């Protein structure tokens, strides 16, 4: 039933903002309500499943030490956190509590000792002084004994299956670094919202933002190799640690299940990052430190709309010749496109090759006519392009493990053409073009459209790759033009990465990328059907 409060707000919005804004707001709230209802059902786990997990016998059953530094933790939050660990279906854990609370909050010690007396798996140490989040967490490490370590904030809650799922991944994949999905809640854990359905590990995405966050577990050996928490980065100490640990990890596994509840309250980072400006600065310093460790040069800045999302401008190691191939239109269109590029682009050196094929570029043309170290494919429907477009693509592609890079294409109607391509289990529609058709006025509100992202495939009308990689692969497969980009990406990728960047922008005079969707999808599934039966690493299966 519609409450009077919402009715009054709706009437006020109608008269102040108009019917269009009111309609959008109603639709948005409706979508959120439906999403939260689905989320509650998704997080439910029945007693039968919990009992199965309790009785499960693993080949490896490592002790997982949960590290939780305490500081003036509200008693109700503290008890919720401890009870969530005690309630784990996997029994081989220890909870390591290092308490830096001041004397006015002595109840923290009383509550912890109460639990420690009841359960020997709870290790408690009262610190002589509060030394900050990093040093207090390091104290947790010192009193721990587990082969694996896990991070749990003092006001958050673990899902009952969290440790069970972690150990399942350790046994199945021999994982040494594991992270899960998470969800926020405020007053009631049974009313969660804003789930973080994450992609698998990507170094570039981790540099852009700490999307890994909670819940994280890792082998103690990684701490020995990379070092413990560094107080220099307090406020973003987790981001710094994850950057260093993932550099050393041999098997990083993402569990696409919500196993962590992040409590939102006025003192938490989740409530307002503006309350902790120092956290942003610390994160930027941590990212720059990783660049130095990896012998990479670049500058970092926060994105305009999202302060905790970062943009790295990498230095170009060299200015190599880029071969730009224009294809997909008439001779007049290619000539017009060529003139446009000469006026717009600031990068040098480059060469422009106009494909004679009216549909797409041929392997023979690339072999005979290109001289560049890098090849940029552009569709002749191009009507404008950013002057630094080549630099934005090249700064990423110059890395050895990056195989292809694509930019952000927008059509003449100010609609996003796509933000990366992933595959699905649906044989009738195996390719998903992310955010296809999203209007430019909504792009600004989508955080994932403001940073470099890993993706499975790209559109052949706006992508760059290394000429040597292309030759080693044998070039394009000779299939239908709609299929060229995704097919080439899957054959080139190997152990490398494919990236999509929003900082290389271009506008095209087309309504959509796919011209013959049904035919393309069937063709794609015929060739890549076995791959489509798996989960795409860059698309969380919960989507």
């Amino acid at each position: 039933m519609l409450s009077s409060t919402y009715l009054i707000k709706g009437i006020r919005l109608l008269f102040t903002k108009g019917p269009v804004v009111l309609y959008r707001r109603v639709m948005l709230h409706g979508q959120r309500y439906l999403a939260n209802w689905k989320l509650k059902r998704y997080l439910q786990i029945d007693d039968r499943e919990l009992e199965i997990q309790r009785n499960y016998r693993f080949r490896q059953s490592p002790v997982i030490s949960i590290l939780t530094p305490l500081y003036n933790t509200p008693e109700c939050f503290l008890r919720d956190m401890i009870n969530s660990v005690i309630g784990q279906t996997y029994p081989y854990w220890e909870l390591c509590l290092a308490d830096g609370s001041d004397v006015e909050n002595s109840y923290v010690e009383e509550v912890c000792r109460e639990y420690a007396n009841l359960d020997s798996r709870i290790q408690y140490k009262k610190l002589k002084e509060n030394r900050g989040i990093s040093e207090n967490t390091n104290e947790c490490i010192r009193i721990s004994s587990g082969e694996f370590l896990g991070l749990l904030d003092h006001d958050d809650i673990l899902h009952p299956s969290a440790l069970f799922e972690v150990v399942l991944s350790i046994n199945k994949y021999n994982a040494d670094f594991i992270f899960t999905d998470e969800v926020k809640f405020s007053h009631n854990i049974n009313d969660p919202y804003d789930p973080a359905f994450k992609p698998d590990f990507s170094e570039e995405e981790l540099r852009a933002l700490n999307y890994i966050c909670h819940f994280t577990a890792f082998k103690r050996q990684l701490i020995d190799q990379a070092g413990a928490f560094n107080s220099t980065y307090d406020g973003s100490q987790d981001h710094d640690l994850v950057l260093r640990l993932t550099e050393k990890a041999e098997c990083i596994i993402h569990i696409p299940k919500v196993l962590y509840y992040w409590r939102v309250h006025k003192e938490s980072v989740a409530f307002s990052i503006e309350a902790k400006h120092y956290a942003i600065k610390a994160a930027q310093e941590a990212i720059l430190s990783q660049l130095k460790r990896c012998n990479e040069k670049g500058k970092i800045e926060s994105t305009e709309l999202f302060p905790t999302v970062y943009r790295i401008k990498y230095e170009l190691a060299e200015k190599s010749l880029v071969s730009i191939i224009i294809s997909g239109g008439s001779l007049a269109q290619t000539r017009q496109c060529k003139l446009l590029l000469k006026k717009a682009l600031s990068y040098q050196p480059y060469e422009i090759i106009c494909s004679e094929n009216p549909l797409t570029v041929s392997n023979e043309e690339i072999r005979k006519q290109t001289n560049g170290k890098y090849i940029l494919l552009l569709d002749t429907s191009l009507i404008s392009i950013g002057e630094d477009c080549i630099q934005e693509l090249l700064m990423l592609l110059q890395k050895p493990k990056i195989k292809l890079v694509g930019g952000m294409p927008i059509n003449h109607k100010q609609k996003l053409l796509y933000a990366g391509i992933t595959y699905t289990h649906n044989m009738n529609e195996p390719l998903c073009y992310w955010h296809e058709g999203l209007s430019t006025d909504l792009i600004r509100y989508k955080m994932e459209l403001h940073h470099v992202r890993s993706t499975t495939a790209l559109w052949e009308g706006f992508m760059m790759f290394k000429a040597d990689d292309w030759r080693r692969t044998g070039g394009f497969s000779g299939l239908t033009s709609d299929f060229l980009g995704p097919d080439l990406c899957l054959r080139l990728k190997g152990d490398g990465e494919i990236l999509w960047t929003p900082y290389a922008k271009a506008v095209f005079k087309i309504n959509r990328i796919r011209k013959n969707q049904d035919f393309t999808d069937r063709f794609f599934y015929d060739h890549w059907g076995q791959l489509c039966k798996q989960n795409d690493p860059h698309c969380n299966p919960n989507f």
Side-chain angles (χ1 to χ4, degrees):
M1 186 176 178
L2 188 66
S3 69
S4 58
T5 304
Y6 282 113
L7 186 60
I8 293 170
K9 286 183 178 179
I11 294 172
R12 185 181 298 123
L13 197 64
L14 176 64
F15 283 101
T16 57
K17 300 293 184 180
V20 175
V21 174
L22 175 62
Y23 172 77
R24 289 178 178 173
R25 192 71 59 85
V26 170
M27 291 300 294
L28 179 62
H29 280 285
Q31 290 170 359
R32 286 177 177 171
Y33 179 84
L34 180 61
N36 288 343
W37 178 79
K38 290 180 177 179
L39 180 62
K40 289 177 187 178
R41 291 177 61 87
Y42 165 79
L43 289 171
Q44 291 175 353
I45 182 168
D46 58 38
D47 292 338
R48 180 174 173 273
E49 177 60 28
L50 290 173
E51 194 60 29
I52 290 173
Q53 292 182 10
R54 291 189 187 100
N55 295 322
Y56 197 91
R57 294 294 175 264
F58 289 103
R59 179 174 49 84
Q60 300 179 63
S61 297
V63 173
I64 300 179
S65 297
I66 306 298
L67 312 178
T68 307
L70 307 174
Y71 180 71
N72 298 343
T73 314
E75 183 173 349
C76 59
F77 296 176
L78 179 60
R79 291 186 181 275
D80 284 349
M81 179 273 295
I82 296 175
N83 288 332
S84 76
V85 178
I86 293 174
Q88 291 297 300
T89 58
Y90 179 76
Y92 304 111
W93 55 262
E94 65 175 1
L95 177 58
C96 303
L97 307 170
D99 181 12
S101 301
D102 53 39
V103 292
E104 289 79 12
N105 293 275
S106 58
Y107 66 85
V108 174
E109 180 176 0
E110 294 171 6
V111 171
C112 290
R113 294 199 183 281
E114 171 194 330
Y115 278 98
N117 290 333
L118 295 173
D119 195 320
S120 61
R121 296 173 295 180
I122 298 176
Q123 309 298 319
Y124 173 78
K125 182 174 182 178
K126 176 61 181 174
L127 304 178
K128 293 180 180 179
E129 61 178 350
N130 175 37
R131 300 176 62 190
I133 182 68
S134 291
E135 288 304 317
N136 290 359
T137 310
N138 287 339
E139 202 60 51
C140 292
I141 296 175
R142 294 185 190 101
I143 65 174
S144 69
S145 62
E147 182 184 352
F148 277 80
L149 307 175
L151 304 179
L152 173 61
D153 288 351
H154 67 160
D155 48 3
D156 294 341
I157 292 175
L158 283 182
H159 187 281
S161 302
L163 298 186
F164 175 87
E165 294 289 349
V166 166
V167 177
L168 201 62
S169 291
I170 293 170
N171 279 265
K172 188 174 182 180
Y173 304 107
N174 198 26
D176 55 358
F177 187 99
I178 306 103
F179 66 99
T180 77
D181 293 346
E182 60 189 294
V183 72
K184 293 187 179 77
F185 77 102
S186 294
H187 305 292
N188 187 351
I189 194 173
N190 294 316
D191 191 22
Y193 64 94
D194 195 16
F197 294 137
K198 308 167 187 176
D200 285 1
F201 176 72
S202 164
E203 182 181 76
E204 286 301 322
E205 288 196 58
L206 182 58
R207 287 178 177 180
L209 74 165
N210 183 16
Y211 75 95
I212 287 179
C213 217
H214 310 111
F215 173 58
T216 306
F218 45 87
K219 210 166 188 176
R220 179 185 290 273
Q221 181 182 344
L222 295 181
I223 283 280
D224 297 337
Q225 295 172 359
F229 285 89
N230 187 336
S231 59
T232 303
Y233 306 107
D234 274 0
S236 290
Q237 69 285 340
D238 288 355
H239 198 172
D240 167 63
L241 184 73
V242 170
L243 286 167
R244 288 187 282 116
L245 295 183
T246 52
E247 289 173 31
K248 303 294 184 181
E250 295 181 1
C251 182
I252 302 172
I253 293 297
H254 164 227
I255 302 172
K257 296 182 179 181
V258 173
L259 300 173
Y260 191 99
Y261 296 86
W262 189 1
R263 190 191 298 268
V264 178
H265 56 94
K266 62 181 181 180
E267 300 298 328
S268 68
V269 178
F271 183 77
S272 176
I273 192 65
E274 286 75 14
K276 296 189 177 182
H277 289 293
Y278 70 93
I280 297 170
K281 184 178 179 181
Q284 292 180 352
E285 291 297 326
I287 297 163
L288 287 174
S289 294
Q290 185 181 63
L291 295 186
K292 291 177 183 177
R293 290 193 299 272
C294 298
N295 296 315
E296 297 179 59
K297 295 180 180 180
K299 297 179 180 179
I300 185 170
E301 61 186 21
S302 288
T303 54
E304 183 180 355
L305 295 176
F306 301 96
T308 56
V309 176
Y310 310 109
R311 177 183 182 181
I312 302 173
K313 294 184 177 180
Y314 295 100
E315 288 187 15
L316 292 179
E318 59 180 4
K319 285 203 167 185
S320 303
L321 178 65
V322 175
S323 298
I324 304 174
I325 301 178
I326 307 168
S327 65
S330 66
L331 185 60
Q333 286 177 308
T334 56
R335 286 175 178 171
Q336 184 179 359
C337 191
K338 187 174 182 178
L339 291 173
L340 184 154
L341 291 172
K342 287 183 176 180
K343 289 181 180 180
L345 296 176
S346 62
Y347 180 87
Q348 290 289 346
Y350 67 84
E351 62 179 7
I352 300 177
I353 296 97
C354 297
S355 173
E356 297 176 1
N357 190 323
L359 295 176
T360 186
V361 64
S362 71
N363 290 333
E364 194 65 23
E365 285 176 314
I366 293 181
R367 290 192 189 97
K368 287 184 176 181
Q369 298 186 45
T370 60
N371 301 295
K373 183 177 180 180
Y374 301 95
I375 296 174
L376 171 61
L377 299 185
L378 285 173
D379 191 87
T380 49
S381 62
L382 179 75
I383 55 178
S384 73
I385 190 168
E387 65 173 3
D388 58 351
C389 185
I390 290 181
Q391 292 95 316
E392 293 291 347
L393 297 171
L394 201 54
M395 71 171 66
L396 298 168
L397 189 59
Q398 68 181 347
K399 301 182 180 189
K401 66 180 179 182
I402 306 303
K403 299 299 183 182
L404 302 98
V405 182
M408 176 187 277
I410 296 169
N411 71 12
H412 58 297
K413 297 179 180 179
Q414 296 302 299
K415 302 283 186 181
L416 181 63
L417 288 173
Y418 87 125
I421 303 171
T422 56
Y423 54 80
T424 73
H425 300 317
N426 185 353
M427 65 180 296
N428 295 317
E429 195 174 351
L431 294 174
C432 174
Y433 290 70
W434 276 82
H435 296 297
E436 181 183 28
L438 190 70
S439 61
T440 52
D441 62 330
L442 292 178
I443 288 174
R444 61 189 285 111
Y445 300 109
K446 291 283 186 180
M447 188 168 69
E448 63 267 34
L449 298 180
H450 290 260
H451 65 82
V452 174
R453 297 171 54 243
S454 291
T455 186
T456 295
L458 299 166
W459 173 44
E460 65 279 356
F462 187 21
M463 71 179 185
M464 184 185 281
F465 49 87
K466 300 178 179 80
D468 286 346
D469 285 347
W470 181 87
R471 292 187 181 96
R472 278 195 296 269
T473 314
F476 290 111
S477 59
L479 302 177
T480 171
S481 59
D482 278 3
F483 187 69
L484 288 179
D487 177 68
L488 179 66
C489 289
L490 291 174
R491 289 188 293 112
L492 270 181
K493 185 177 181 181
D495 294 330
E497 271 193 270
I498 298 171
L499 299 177
W500 176 90
T501 173
Y503 305 120
K505 294 184 174 71
V507 180
F508 297 84
K509 195 173 183 180
I510 53 175
N511 290 322
R512 61 185 314 198
I513 290 171
R514 293 173 285 184
K515 302 178 183 68
N516 188 358
Q517 183 180 342
D518 292 340
F519 178 72
T520 303
D521 289 347
R522 289 196 302 271
F523 224 69
F524 183 88
Y525 202 85
D526 286 345
H527 286 79
W528 296 101
Q530 289 302 312
L531 182 67
C532 291
K533 293 176 182 178
Q534 306 170 28
N535 288 332
D536 189 302
H538 309 300
C539 177
N540 192 297
N542 292 302
F543 286 122

